[in-house]
Amino acid sequence: MEQQRESSTLGMWLFLVTEIMFFGGLFTGYGIYRFMYPEAWKEAAHELNVTLGAINTVVLILSSLTMALAVHSAQLGKKRLLILFLIATLVLGLVFLGIKTKEYSDKFEHHLIPGTNFHFEGPWARQAMLYFCFYFGMTGMHALHMIIGMVGICILIRMAAKNRFSAEYHTHIELFGLYWHFVDIVWIFLFPLLYLIGQPKL
């Protein structure tokens, strides 16, 4: 059992390394174009809703807390608390995606979706479109990871309800916790890079 746990943990860490490389490429591309077009990046960032972004940041931090409590409950063999905290994490994930959907809807209404209907006032229109390509690409991939994670939570809740976990065996919960925390950390980087770049200094 211990060997299986160690093998599973190693596999998860290897998977997360590939995810770091994937998002690292996106962050690198973002950084290069931000350096090339700083004024365009600043102006385009003004179109984002910092308040909604900040709320989503708090939501994800809370979801990390509930996920950590779910792992702790699994380690103690407390089935009800485990299911409760998994459900809380799922609800917080839904709140995050709901807010993100509202943001995407606003961008659509203001014609800020990259493409033929893209409209941006000022001399930086083409460069601003590139900014929004990164915005939708990076936040969209993050949202996809969130959706995958929420499907995983539903599976874990079902397994917990069937008494598949105990204080001696809860590897699935621990490994999923690593994945969820990784997704949250990615957003911690996305929020300041995308939302705060053009904001005035306090």
Side-chain angles (χ1 to χ4, degrees):
M1 187 71 71
E2 183 61 26
Q3 184 180 20
Q4 292 180 15
R5 181 176 180 276
E6 291 177 357
S7 298
S8 300
T9 302
L10 176 60
M12 175 56 77
W13 278 111
L14 289 175
F15 168 73
L16 292 180
V17 167
T18 65
E19 290 290 284
I20 291 171
M21 294 173 64
F22 173 76
F23 278 101
L26 291 176
F27 283 123
T28 300
Y30 172 91
I32 291 173
Y33 284 107
R34 175 178 175 178
F35 176 78
M36 293 176 63
Y37 309 117
E39 291 301 322
W41 251 230
K42 181 179 178 180
E43 293 299 320
H46 287 160
E47 300 294 331
L48 300 188
N49 191 319
V50 179
T51 300
L52 292 181
I55 292 173
N56 258 352
T57 302
V58 174
V59 168
L60 280 193
I61 291 174
L62 289 176
S63 77
S64 270
L65 173 61
T66 56
M67 190 65 236
L69 291 173
V71 173
H72 182 67
S73 299
Q75 292 170 341
L76 297 178
K78 296 182 177 180
K79 172 184 170 181
R80 287 190 176 183
L81 282 179
L82 168 60
I83 293 176
L84 175 64
F85 287 124
L86 286 176
I87 291 174
T89 305
L90 179 64
V91 170
L92 289 169
L94 288 171
V95 171
F96 177 91
L97 290 179
I99 294 175
K100 182 53 63 181
T101 300
K102 173 65 168 65
E103 287 191 78
Y104 282 179
S105 176
D106 290 343
K107 301 301 175 291
F108 182 81
E109 291 180 6
H110 293 93
H111 302 285
L112 294 175
I113 307 295
T116 56
N117 293 323
F118 183 83
H119 178 74
F120 188 86
E121 297 289 345
W124 304 104
R126 294 185 63 183
Q127 294 83 356
M129 183 188 295
L130 182 60
Y131 169 87
F132 280 103
C133 284
F134 276 103
Y135 167 78
F136 284 106
M138 297 170 83
T139 61
M141 286 305 304
H142 178 266
L144 176 61
H145 281 71
M146 288 285 296
I147 293 171
I148 293 172
M150 290 164 63
V151 171
I153 291 177
C154 292
I155 294 173
L156 292 177
I157 292 174
R158 181 184 177 90
M159 293 175 67
K162 293 184 175 181
N163 297 313
R164 295 284 297 277
F165 305 121
S166 65
E168 292 73 30
Y169 181 75
H170 47 267
T171 305
H172 293 71
I173 304 295
E174 290 184 338
L175 296 184
F176 181 81
L178 291 176
Y179 173 85
W180 192 262
H181 293 318
F182 167 79
V183 174
D184 290 352
I185 289 173
V186 170
W187 179 260
I188 296 300
F189 283 95
L190 288 177
F191 175 62
L193 285 176
L194 294 171
Y195 288 79
L196 303 183
I197 176 178
Q199 304 306 314
K201 296 181 179 180
L202 298 178

mmCIF file with all atom_site columns, all heavy atoms in Angstrom, residues 23-47:
data_model
loop_
_atom_site.group_PDB
_atom_site.id
_atom_site.type_symbol
_atom_site.label_atom_id
_atom_site.label_alt_id
_atom_site.label_comp_id
_atom_site.label_asym_id
_atom_site.label_entity_id
_atom_site.label_seq_id
_atom_site.pdbx_PDB_ins_code
_atom_site.Cartn_x
_atom_site.Cartn_y
_atom_site.Cartn_z
_atom_site.occupancy
_atom_site.B_iso_or_equiv
_atom_site.pdbx_formal_charge
_atom_site.auth_seq_id
_atom_site.auth_comp_id
_atom_site.auth_asym_id
_atom_site.auth_atom_id
_atom_site.pdbx_PDB_model_num
ATOM 1   N N   . PHE A 1 23 ? 2.106   26.175 -18.574 1.00 0.00 ? 23 PHE A N   1
ATOM 2   C CA  . PHE A 1 23 ? 1.768   27.546 -18.182 1.00 0.00 ? 23 PHE A CA  1
ATOM 3   C C   . PHE A 1 23 ? 3.000   28.437 -18.218 1.00 0.00 ? 23 PHE A C   1
ATOM 4   O O   . PHE A 1 23 ? 2.895   29.645 -18.462 1.00 0.00 ? 23 PHE A O   1
ATOM 5   C CB  . PHE A 1 23 ? 1.140   27.558 -16.786 1.00 0.00 ? 23 PHE A CB  1
ATOM 6   C CG  . PHE A 1 23 ? -0.328  27.219 -16.780 1.00 0.00 ? 23 PHE A CG  1
ATOM 7   C CD1 . PHE A 1 23 ? -0.754  25.956 -16.424 1.00 0.00 ? 23 PHE A CD1 1
ATOM 8   C CD2 . PHE A 1 23 ? -1.267  28.153 -17.151 1.00 0.00 ? 23 PHE A CD2 1
ATOM 9   C CE1 . PHE A 1 23 ? -2.108  25.630 -16.427 1.00 0.00 ? 23 PHE A CE1 1
ATOM 10  C CE2 . PHE A 1 23 ? -2.621  27.845 -17.169 1.00 0.00 ? 23 PHE A CE2 1
ATOM 11  C CZ  . PHE A 1 23 ? -3.039  26.578 -16.809 1.00 0.00 ? 23 PHE A CZ  1
ATOM 12  N N   . GLY A 1 24 ? 4.176   27.854 -17.979 1.00 0.00 ? 24 GLY A N   1
ATOM 13  C CA  . GLY A 1 24 ? 5.402   28.637 -18.057 1.00 0.00 ? 24 GLY A CA  1
ATOM 14  C C   . GLY A 1 24 ? 5.617   29.205 -19.444 1.00 0.00 ? 24 GLY A C   1
ATOM 15  O O   . GLY A 1 24 ? 6.078   30.340 -19.608 1.00 0.00 ? 24 GLY A O   1
ATOM 16  N N   . GLY A 1 25 ? 5.261   28.429 -20.477 1.00 0.00 ? 25 GLY A N   1
ATOM 17  C CA  . GLY A 1 25 ? 5.359   28.935 -21.843 1.00 0.00 ? 25 GLY A CA  1
ATOM 18  C C   . GLY A 1 25 ? 4.425   30.108 -22.080 1.00 0.00 ? 25 GLY A C   1
ATOM 19  O O   . GLY A 1 25 ? 4.802   31.095 -22.725 1.00 0.00 ? 25 GLY A O   1
ATOM 20  N N   . LEU A 1 26 ? 3.208   30.005 -21.548 1.00 0.00 ? 26 LEU A N   1
ATOM 21  C CA  . LEU A 1 26 ? 2.253   31.111 -21.680 1.00 0.00 ? 26 LEU A CA  1
ATOM 22  C C   . LEU A 1 26 ? 2.746   32.359 -20.958 1.00 0.00 ? 26 LEU A C   1
ATOM 23  O O   . LEU A 1 26 ? 2.670   33.476 -21.492 1.00 0.00 ? 26 LEU A O   1
ATOM 24  C CB  . LEU A 1 26 ? 0.885   30.692 -21.132 1.00 0.00 ? 26 LEU A CB  1
ATOM 25  C CG  . LEU A 1 26 ? 0.120   29.634 -21.921 1.00 0.00 ? 26 LEU A CG  1
ATOM 26  C CD1 . LEU A 1 26 ? -1.164  29.247 -21.194 1.00 0.00 ? 26 LEU A CD1 1
ATOM 27  C CD2 . LEU A 1 26 ? -0.209  30.136 -23.324 1.00 0.00 ? 26 LEU A CD2 1
ATOM 28  N N   . PHE A 1 27 ? 3.274   32.169 -19.741 1.00 0.00 ? 27 PHE A N   1
ATOM 29  C CA  . PHE A 1 27 ? 3.783   33.306 -18.973 1.00 0.00 ? 27 PHE A CA  1
ATOM 30  C C   . PHE A 1 27 ? 4.979   33.949 -19.681 1.00 0.00 ? 27 PHE A C   1
ATOM 31  O O   . PHE A 1 27 ? 5.134   35.171 -19.664 1.00 0.00 ? 27 PHE A O   1
ATOM 32  C CB  . PHE A 1 27 ? 4.178   32.868 -17.562 1.00 0.00 ? 27 PHE A CB  1
ATOM 33  C CG  . PHE A 1 27 ? 3.010   32.664 -16.645 1.00 0.00 ? 27 PHE A CG  1
ATOM 34  C CD1 . PHE A 1 27 ? 2.803   31.437 -16.018 1.00 0.00 ? 27 PHE A CD1 1
ATOM 35  C CD2 . PHE A 1 27 ? 2.113   33.683 -16.399 1.00 0.00 ? 27 PHE A CD2 1
ATOM 36  C CE1 . PHE A 1 27 ? 1.735   31.243 -15.172 1.00 0.00 ? 27 PHE A CE1 1
ATOM 37  C CE2 . PHE A 1 27 ? 1.028   33.503 -15.550 1.00 0.00 ? 27 PHE A CE2 1
ATOM 38  C CZ  . PHE A 1 27 ? 0.839   32.277 -14.932 1.00 0.00 ? 27 PHE A CZ  1
ATOM 39  N N   . THR A 1 28 ? 5.826   33.123 -20.296 1.00 0.00 ? 28 THR A N   1
ATOM 40  C CA  . THR A 1 28 ? 6.987   33.656 -21.010 1.00 0.00 ? 28 THR A CA  1
ATOM 41  C C   . THR A 1 28 ? 6.553   34.503 -22.204 1.00 0.00 ? 28 THR A C   1
ATOM 42  O O   . THR A 1 28 ? 7.056   35.607 -22.415 1.00 0.00 ? 28 THR A O   1
ATOM 43  C CB  . THR A 1 28 ? 7.892   32.505 -21.485 1.00 0.00 ? 28 THR A CB  1
ATOM 44  O OG1 . THR A 1 28 ? 8.340   31.746 -20.359 1.00 0.00 ? 28 THR A OG1 1
ATOM 45  C CG2 . THR A 1 28 ? 9.103   33.056 -22.234 1.00 0.00 ? 28 THR A CG2 1
ATOM 46  N N   . GLY A 1 29 ? 5.609   33.966 -22.995 1.00 0.00 ? 29 GLY A N   1
ATOM 47  C CA  . GLY A 1 29 ? 5.096   34.734 -24.125 1.00 0.00 ? 29 GLY A CA  1
ATOM 48  C C   . GLY A 1 29 ? 4.465   36.034 -23.686 1.00 0.00 ? 29 GLY A C   1
ATOM 49  O O   . GLY A 1 29 ? 4.688   37.094 -24.292 1.00 0.00 ? 29 GLY A O   1
ATOM 50  N N   . TYR A 1 30 ? 3.689   35.962 -22.608 1.00 0.00 ? 30 TYR A N   1
ATOM 51  C CA  . TYR A 1 30 ? 3.065   37.163 -22.058 1.00 0.00 ? 30 TYR A CA  1
ATOM 52  C C   . TYR A 1 30 ? 4.133   38.184 -21.679 1.00 0.00 ? 30 TYR A C   1
ATOM 53  O O   . TYR A 1 30 ? 4.010   39.383 -21.991 1.00 0.00 ? 30 TYR A O   1
ATOM 54  C CB  . TYR A 1 30 ? 2.219   36.793 -20.846 1.00 0.00 ? 30 TYR A CB  1
ATOM 55  C CG  . TYR A 1 30 ? 1.678   37.981 -20.085 1.00 0.00 ? 30 TYR A CG  1
ATOM 56  C CD1 . TYR A 1 30 ? 0.429   38.528 -20.385 1.00 0.00 ? 30 TYR A CD1 1
ATOM 57  C CD2 . TYR A 1 30 ? 2.419   38.575 -19.066 1.00 0.00 ? 30 TYR A CD2 1
ATOM 58  C CE1 . TYR A 1 30 ? -0.053  39.621 -19.702 1.00 0.00 ? 30 TYR A CE1 1
ATOM 59  C CE2 . TYR A 1 30 ? 1.939   39.667 -18.365 1.00 0.00 ? 30 TYR A CE2 1
ATOM 60  C CZ  . TYR A 1 30 ? 0.703   40.193 -18.686 1.00 0.00 ? 30 TYR A CZ  1
ATOM 61  O OH  . TYR A 1 30 ? 0.233   41.282 -18.009 1.00 0.00 ? 30 TYR A OH  1
ATOM 62  N N   . GLY A 1 31 ? 5.185   37.725 -20.987 1.00 0.00 ? 31 GLY A N   1
ATOM 63  C CA  . GLY A 1 31 ? 6.234   38.631 -20.524 1.00 0.00 ? 31 GLY A CA  1
ATOM 64  C C   . GLY A 1 31 ? 6.964   39.301 -21.674 1.00 0.00 ? 31 GLY A C   1
ATOM 65  O O   . GLY A 1 31 ? 7.293   40.493 -21.612 1.00 0.00 ? 31 GLY A O   1
ATOM 66  N N   . ILE A 1 32 ? 7.206   38.558 -22.744 1.00 0.00 ? 32 ILE A N   1
ATOM 67  C CA  . ILE A 1 32 ? 7.917   39.121 -23.902 1.00 0.00 ? 32 ILE A CA  1
ATOM 68  C C   . ILE A 1 32 ? 7.099   40.242 -24.539 1.00 0.00 ? 32 ILE A C   1
ATOM 69  O O   . ILE A 1 32 ? 7.620   41.338 -24.802 1.00 0.00 ? 32 ILE A O   1
ATOM 70  C CB  . ILE A 1 32 ? 8.205   38.016 -24.933 1.00 0.00 ? 32 ILE A CB  1
ATOM 71  C CG1 . ILE A 1 32 ? 9.257   37.045 -24.379 1.00 0.00 ? 32 ILE A CG1 1
ATOM 72  C CG2 . ILE A 1 32 ? 8.683   38.625 -26.260 1.00 0.00 ? 32 ILE A CG2 1
ATOM 73  C CD1 . ILE A 1 32 ? 9.481   35.825 -25.250 1.00 0.00 ? 32 ILE A CD1 1
ATOM 74  N N   . TYR A 1 33 ? 5.816   39.988 -24.777 1.00 0.00 ? 33 TYR A N   1
ATOM 75  C CA  . TYR A 1 33 ? 4.992   41.000 -25.429 1.00 0.00 ? 33 TYR A CA  1
ATOM 76  C C   . TYR A 1 33 ? 4.665   42.164 -24.494 1.00 0.00 ? 33 TYR A C   1
ATOM 77  O O   . TYR A 1 33 ? 4.479   43.294 -24.949 1.00 0.00 ? 33 TYR A O   1
ATOM 78  C CB  . TYR A 1 33 ? 3.713   40.367 -25.975 1.00 0.00 ? 33 TYR A CB  1
ATOM 79  C CG  . TYR A 1 33 ? 3.955   39.592 -27.242 1.00 0.00 ? 33 TYR A CG  1
ATOM 80  C CD1 . TYR A 1 33 ? 3.924   38.205 -27.245 1.00 0.00 ? 33 TYR A CD1 1
ATOM 81  C CD2 . TYR A 1 33 ? 4.235   40.262 -28.433 1.00 0.00 ? 33 TYR A CD2 1
ATOM 82  C CE1 . TYR A 1 33 ? 4.165   37.493 -28.415 1.00 0.00 ? 33 TYR A CE1 1
ATOM 83  C CE2 . TYR A 1 33 ? 4.478   39.563 -29.605 1.00 0.00 ? 33 TYR A CE2 1
ATOM 84  C CZ  . TYR A 1 33 ? 4.444   38.173 -29.587 1.00 0.00 ? 33 TYR A CZ  1
ATOM 85  O OH  . TYR A 1 33 ? 4.693   37.480 -30.738 1.00 0.00 ? 33 TYR A OH  1
ATOM 86  N N   . ARG A 1 34 ? 4.620   41.894 -23.221 1.00 0.00 ? 34 ARG A N   1
ATOM 87  C CA  . ARG A 1 34 ? 4.442   43.011 -22.278 1.00 0.00 ? 34 ARG A CA  1
ATOM 88  C C   . ARG A 1 34 ? 5.645   43.941 -22.331 1.00 0.00 ? 34 ARG A C   1
ATOM 89  O O   . ARG A 1 34 ? 5.495   45.167 -22.259 1.00 0.00 ? 34 ARG A O   1
ATOM 90  C CB  . ARG A 1 34 ? 4.256   42.461 -20.860 1.00 0.00 ? 34 ARG A CB  1
ATOM 91  C CG  . ARG A 1 34 ? 4.180   43.558 -19.807 1.00 0.00 ? 34 ARG A CG  1
ATOM 92  C CD  . ARG A 1 34 ? 3.959   43.001 -18.421 1.00 0.00 ? 34 ARG A CD  1
ATOM 93  N NE  . ARG A 1 34 ? 3.997   44.050 -17.408 1.00 0.00 ? 34 ARG A NE  1
ATOM 94  C CZ  . ARG A 1 34 ? 3.796   43.855 -16.126 1.00 0.00 ? 34 ARG A CZ  1
ATOM 95  N NH1 . ARG A 1 34 ? 3.520   42.641 -15.665 1.00 0.00 ? 34 ARG A NH1 1
ATOM 96  N NH2 . ARG A 1 34 ? 3.843   44.859 -15.262 1.00 0.00 ? 34 ARG A NH2 1
ATOM 97  N N   . PHE A 1 35 ? 6.832   43.360 -22.466 1.00 0.00 ? 35 PHE A N   1
ATOM 98  C CA  . PHE A 1 35 ? 8.049   44.173 -22.567 1.00 0.00 ? 35 PHE A CA  1
ATOM 99  C C   . PHE A 1 35 ? 8.060   44.965 -23.875 1.00 0.00 ? 35 PHE A C   1
ATOM 100 O O   . PHE A 1 35 ? 8.508   46.108 -23.917 1.00 0.00 ? 35 PHE A O   1
ATOM 101 C CB  . PHE A 1 35 ? 9.284   43.269 -22.486 1.00 0.00 ? 35 PHE A CB  1
ATOM 102 C CG  . PHE A 1 35 ? 10.581  43.995 -22.667 1.00 0.00 ? 35 PHE A CG  1
ATOM 103 C CD1 . PHE A 1 35 ? 11.123  44.736 -21.620 1.00 0.00 ? 35 PHE A CD1 1
ATOM 104 C CD2 . PHE A 1 35 ? 11.257  43.940 -23.878 1.00 0.00 ? 35 PHE A CD2 1
ATOM 105 C CE1 . PHE A 1 35 ? 12.333  45.416 -21.789 1.00 0.00 ? 35 PHE A CE1 1
ATOM 106 C CE2 . PHE A 1 35 ? 12.456  44.615 -24.054 1.00 0.00 ? 35 PHE A CE2 1
ATOM 107 C CZ  . PHE A 1 35 ? 12.999  45.352 -23.006 1.00 0.00 ? 35 PHE A CZ  1
ATOM 108 N N   . MET A 1 36 ? 7.540   44.354 -24.947 1.00 0.00 ? 36 MET A N   1
ATOM 109 C CA  . MET A 1 36 ? 7.541   45.013 -26.253 1.00 0.00 ? 36 MET A CA  1
ATOM 110 C C   . MET A 1 36 ? 6.494   46.118 -26.349 1.00 0.00 ? 36 MET A C   1
ATOM 111 O O   . MET A 1 36 ? 6.730   47.153 -26.997 1.00 0.00 ? 36 MET A O   1
ATOM 112 C CB  . MET A 1 36 ? 7.290   43.977 -27.351 1.00 0.00 ? 36 MET A CB  1
ATOM 113 C CG  . MET A 1 36 ? 8.404   42.966 -27.523 1.00 0.00 ? 36 MET A CG  1
ATOM 114 S SD  . MET A 1 36 ? 8.001   41.689 -28.754 1.00 0.00 ? 36 MET A SD  1
ATOM 115 C CE  . MET A 1 36 ? 7.834   42.677 -30.247 1.00 0.00 ? 36 MET A CE  1
ATOM 116 N N   . TYR A 1 37 ? 5.337   45.919 -25.720 1.00 0.00 ? 37 TYR A N   1
ATOM 117 C CA  . TYR A 1 37 ? 4.238   46.883 -25.829 1.00 0.00 ? 37 TYR A CA  1
ATOM 118 C C   . TYR A 1 37 ? 3.702   47.269 -24.441 1.00 0.00 ? 37 TYR A C   1
ATOM 119 O O   . TYR A 1 37 ? 2.541   47.001 -24.121 1.00 0.00 ? 37 TYR A O   1
ATOM 120 C CB  . TYR A 1 37 ? 3.097   46.297 -26.668 1.00 0.00 ? 37 TYR A CB  1
ATOM 121 C CG  . TYR A 1 37 ? 3.526   45.735 -27.996 1.00 0.00 ? 37 TYR A CG  1
ATOM 122 C CD1 . TYR A 1 37 ? 3.369   44.376 -28.260 1.00 0.00 ? 37 TYR A CD1 1
ATOM 123 C CD2 . TYR A 1 37 ? 4.081   46.547 -28.984 1.00 0.00 ? 37 TYR A CD2 1
ATOM 124 C CE1 . TYR A 1 37 ? 3.759   43.844 -29.477 1.00 0.00 ? 37 TYR A CE1 1
ATOM 125 C CE2 . TYR A 1 37 ? 4.476   46.020 -30.210 1.00 0.00 ? 37 TYR A CE2 1
ATOM 126 C CZ  . TYR A 1 37 ? 4.308   44.674 -30.447 1.00 0.00 ? 37 TYR A CZ  1
ATOM 127 O OH  . TYR A 1 37 ? 4.697   44.140 -31.648 1.00 0.00 ? 37 TYR A OH  1
ATOM 128 N N   . PRO A 1 38 ? 4.509   47.904 -23.631 1.00 0.00 ? 38 PRO A N   1
ATOM 129 C CA  . PRO A 1 38 ? 4.071   48.212 -22.262 1.00 0.00 ? 38 PRO A CA  1
ATOM 130 C C   . PRO A 1 38 ? 2.863   49.139 -22.194 1.00 0.00 ? 38 PRO A C   1
ATOM 131 O O   . PRO A 1 38 ? 1.975   48.949 -21.361 1.00 0.00 ? 38 PRO A O   1
ATOM 132 C CB  . PRO A 1 38 ? 5.313   48.861 -21.626 1.00 0.00 ? 38 PRO A CB  1
ATOM 133 C CG  . PRO A 1 38 ? 6.108   49.381 -22.793 1.00 0.00 ? 38 PRO A CG  1
ATOM 134 C CD  . PRO A 1 38 ? 5.866   48.399 -23.895 1.00 0.00 ? 38 PRO A CD  1
ATOM 135 N N   . GLU A 1 39 ? 2.803   50.147 -23.068 1.00 0.00 ? 39 GLU A N   1
ATOM 136 C CA  . GLU A 1 39 ? 1.684   51.078 -23.039 1.00 0.00 ? 39 GLU A CA  1
ATOM 137 C C   . GLU A 1 39 ? 0.385   50.408 -23.464 1.00 0.00 ? 39 GLU A C   1
ATOM 138 O O   . GLU A 1 39 ? -0.673  50.651 -22.882 1.00 0.00 ? 39 GLU A O   1
ATOM 139 C CB  . GLU A 1 39 ? 1.978   52.280 -23.946 1.00 0.00 ? 39 GLU A CB  1
ATOM 140 C CG  . GLU A 1 39 ? 3.075   53.184 -23.418 1.00 0.00 ? 39 GLU A CG  1
ATOM 141 C CD  . GLU A 1 39 ? 2.734   53.750 -22.043 1.00 0.00 ? 39 GLU A CD  1
ATOM 142 O OE1 . GLU A 1 39 ? 1.549   54.076 -21.823 1.00 0.00 ? 39 GLU A OE1 1
ATOM 143 O OE2 . GLU A 1 39 ? 3.642   53.858 -21.210 1.00 0.00 ? 39 GLU A OE2 1
ATOM 144 N N   . ALA A 1 40 ? 0.462   49.562 -24.482 1.00 0.00 ? 40 ALA A N   1
ATOM 145 C CA  . ALA A 1 40 ? -0.730  48.838 -24.936 1.00 0.00 ? 40 ALA A CA  1
ATOM 146 C C   . ALA A 1 40 ? -1.235  47.908 -23.843 1.00 0.00 ? 40 ALA A C   1
ATOM 147 O O   . ALA A 1 40 ? -2.447  47.805 -23.606 1.00 0.00 ? 40 ALA A O   1
ATOM 148 C CB  . ALA A 1 40 ? -0.407  48.039 -26.201 1.00 0.00 ? 40 ALA A CB  1
ATOM 149 N N   . TRP A 1 41 ? -0.312  47.223 -23.171 1.00 0.00 ? 41 TRP A N   1
ATOM 150 C CA  . TRP A 1 41 ? -0.700  46.314 -22.081 1.00 0.00 ? 41 TRP A CA  1
ATOM 151 C C   . TRP A 1 41 ? -1.386  47.099 -20.956 1.00 0.00 ? 41 TRP A C   1
ATOM 152 O O   . TRP A 1 41 ? -2.386  46.661 -20.407 1.00 0.00 ? 41 TRP A O   1
ATOM 153 C CB  . TRP A 1 41 ? 0.553   45.618 -21.556 1.00 0.00 ? 41 TRP A CB  1
ATOM 154 C CG  . TRP A 1 41 ? 0.663   44.171 -21.901 1.00 0.00 ? 41 TRP A CG  1
ATOM 155 C CD1 . TRP A 1 41 ? 0.920   43.147 -21.042 1.00 0.00 ? 41 TRP A CD1 1
ATOM 156 C CD2 . TRP A 1 41 ? 0.535   43.549 -23.193 1.00 0.00 ? 41 TRP A CD2 1
ATOM 157 N NE1 . TRP A 1 41 ? 0.963   41.954 -21.712 1.00 0.00 ? 41 TRP A NE1 1
ATOM 158 C CE2 . TRP A 1 41 ? 0.728   42.163 -23.038 1.00 0.00 ? 41 TRP A CE2 1
ATOM 159 C CE3 . TRP A 1 41 ? 0.265   44.036 -24.469 1.00 0.00 ? 41 TRP A CE3 1
ATOM 160 C CZ2 . TRP A 1 41 ? 0.657   41.263 -24.091 1.00 0.00 ? 41 TRP A CZ2 1
ATOM 161 C CZ3 . TRP A 1 41 ? 0.202   43.154 -25.533 1.00 0.00 ? 41 TRP A CZ3 1
ATOM 162 C CH2 . TRP A 1 41 ? 0.387   41.795 -25.339 1.00 0.00 ? 41 TRP A CH2 1
ATOM 163 N N   . LYS A 1 42 ? -0.845  48.270 -20.655 1.00 0.00 ? 42 LYS A N   1
ATOM 164 C CA  . LYS A 1 42 ? -1.411  49.092 -19.588 1.00 0.00 ? 42 LYS A CA  1
ATOM 165 C C   . LYS A 1 42 ? -2.810  49.559 -19.937 1.00 0.00 ? 42 LYS A C   1
ATOM 166 O O   . LYS A 1 42 ? -3.726  49.483 -19.104 1.00 0.00 ? 42 LYS A O   1
ATOM 167 C CB  . LYS A 1 42 ? -0.500  50.290 -19.324 1.00 0.00 ? 42 LYS A CB  1
ATOM 168 C CG  . LYS A 1 42 ? -0.983  51.210 -18.219 1.00 0.00 ? 42 LYS A CG  1
ATOM 169 C CD  . LYS A 1 42 ? -0.002  52.352 -18.004 1.00 0.00 ? 42 LYS A CD  1
ATOM 170 C CE  . LYS A 1 42 ? -0.495  53.300 -16.925 1.00 0.00 ? 42 LYS A CE  1
ATOM 171 N NZ  . LYS A 1 42 ? 0.454   54.424 -16.710 1.00 0.00 ? 42 LYS A NZ  1
ATOM 172 N N   . GLU A 1 43 ? -3.003  50.035 -21.160 1.00 0.00 ? 43 GLU A N   1
ATOM 173 C CA  . GLU A 1 43 ? -4.313  50.523 -21.577 1.00 0.00 ? 43 GLU A CA  1
ATOM 174 C C   . GLU A 1 43 ? -5.330  49.385 -21.648 1.00 0.00 ? 43 GLU A C   1
ATOM 175 O O   . GLU A 1 43 ? -6.487  49.537 -21.244 1.00 0.00 ? 43 GLU A O   1
ATOM 176 C CB  . GLU A 1 43 ? -4.202  51.212 -22.942 1.00 0.00 ? 43 GLU A CB  1
ATOM 177 C CG  . GLU A 1 43 ? -3.403  52.505 -22.929 1.00 0.00 ? 43 GLU A CG  1
ATOM 178 C CD  . GLU A 1 43 ? -4.023  53.548 -22.021 1.00 0.00 ? 43 GLU A CD  1
ATOM 179 O OE1 . GLU A 1 43 ? -5.278  53.651 -22.012 1.00 0.00 ? 43 GLU A OE1 1
ATOM 180 O OE2 . GLU A 1 43 ? -3.281  54.256 -21.323 1.00 0.00 ? 43 GLU A OE2 1
ATOM 181 N N   . ALA A 1 44 ? -4.926  48.236 -22.170 1.00 0.00 ? 44 ALA A N   1
ATOM 182 C CA  . ALA A 1 44 ? -5.845  47.108 -22.298 1.00 0.00 ? 44 ALA A CA  1
ATOM 183 C C   . ALA A 1 44 ? -6.266  46.582 -20.928 1.00 0.00 ? 44 ALA A C   1
ATOM 184 O O   . ALA A 1 44 ? -7.419  46.173 -20.738 1.00 0.00 ? 44 ALA A O   1
ATOM 185 C CB  . ALA A 1 44 ? -5.192  45.994 -23.118 1.00 0.00 ? 44 ALA A CB  1
ATOM 186 N N   . ALA A 1 45 ? -5.348  46.604 -19.974 1.00 0.00 ? 45 ALA A N   1
ATOM 187 C CA  . ALA A 1 45 ? -5.656  46.099 -18.629 1.00 0.00 ? 45 ALA A CA  1
ATOM 188 C C   . ALA A 1 45 ? -6.739  46.921 -17.951 1.00 0.00 ? 45 ALA A C   1
ATOM 189 O O   . ALA A 1 45 ? -7.440  46.426 -17.071 1.00 0.00 ? 45 ALA A O   1
ATOM 190 C CB  . ALA A 1 45 ? -4.395  46.082 -17.767 1.00 0.00 ? 45 ALA A CB  1
ATOM 191 N N   . HIS A 1 46 ? -6.901  48.186 -18.374 1.00 0.00 ? 46 HIS A N   1
ATOM 192 C CA  . HIS A 1 46 ? -7.946  49.030 -17.797 1.00 0.00 ? 46 HIS A CA  1
ATOM 193 C C   . HIS A 1 46 ? -9.347  48.511 -18.115 1.00 0.00 ? 46 HIS A C   1
ATOM 194 O O   . HIS A 1 46 ? -10.315 48.897 -17.457 1.00 0.00 ? 46 HIS A O   1
ATOM 195 C CB  . HIS A 1 46 ? -7.805  50.472 -18.302 1.00 0.00 ? 46 HIS A CB  1
ATOM 196 C CG  . HIS A 1 46 ? -6.648  51.197 -17.695 1.00 0.00 ? 46 HIS A CG  1
ATOM 197 N ND1 . HIS A 1 46 ? -6.089  52.327 -18.260 1.00 0.00 ? 46 HIS A ND1 1
ATOM 198 C CD2 . HIS A 1 46 ? -5.919  50.946 -16.576 1.00 0.00 ? 46 HIS A CD2 1
ATOM 199 C CE1 . HIS A 1 46 ? -5.087  52.757 -17.520 1.00 0.00 ? 46 HIS A CE1 1
ATOM 200 N NE2 . HIS A 1 46 ? -4.965  51.940 -16.490 1.00 0.00 ? 46 HIS A NE2 1
ATOM 201 N N   . GLU A 1 47 ? -9.452  47.663 -19.130 1.00 0.00 ? 47 GLU A N   1
ATOM 202 C CA  . GLU A 1 47 ? -10.753 47.115 -19.510 1.00 0.00 ? 47 GLU A CA  1
ATOM 203 C C   . GLU A 1 47 ? -11.187 45.953 -18.621 1.00 0.00 ? 47 GLU A C   1
ATOM 204 O O   . GLU A 1 47 ? -12.321 45.496 -18.715 1.00 0.00 ? 47 GLU A O   1
ATOM 205 C CB  . GLU A 1 47 ? -10.718 46.650 -20.973 1.00 0.00 ? 47 GLU A CB  1
ATOM 206 C CG  . GLU A 1 47 ? -10.401 47.737 -21.974 1.00 0.00 ? 47 GLU A CG  1
ATOM 207 C CD  . GLU A 1 47 ? -11.491 48.796 -22.035 1.00 0.00 ? 47 GLU A CD  1
ATOM 208 O OE1 . GLU A 1 47 ? -12.670 48.462 -21.760 1.00 0.00 ? 47 GLU A OE1 1
ATOM 209 O OE2 . GLU A 1 47 ? -11.174 49.960 -22.356 1.00 0.00 ? 47 GLU A OE2 1
#
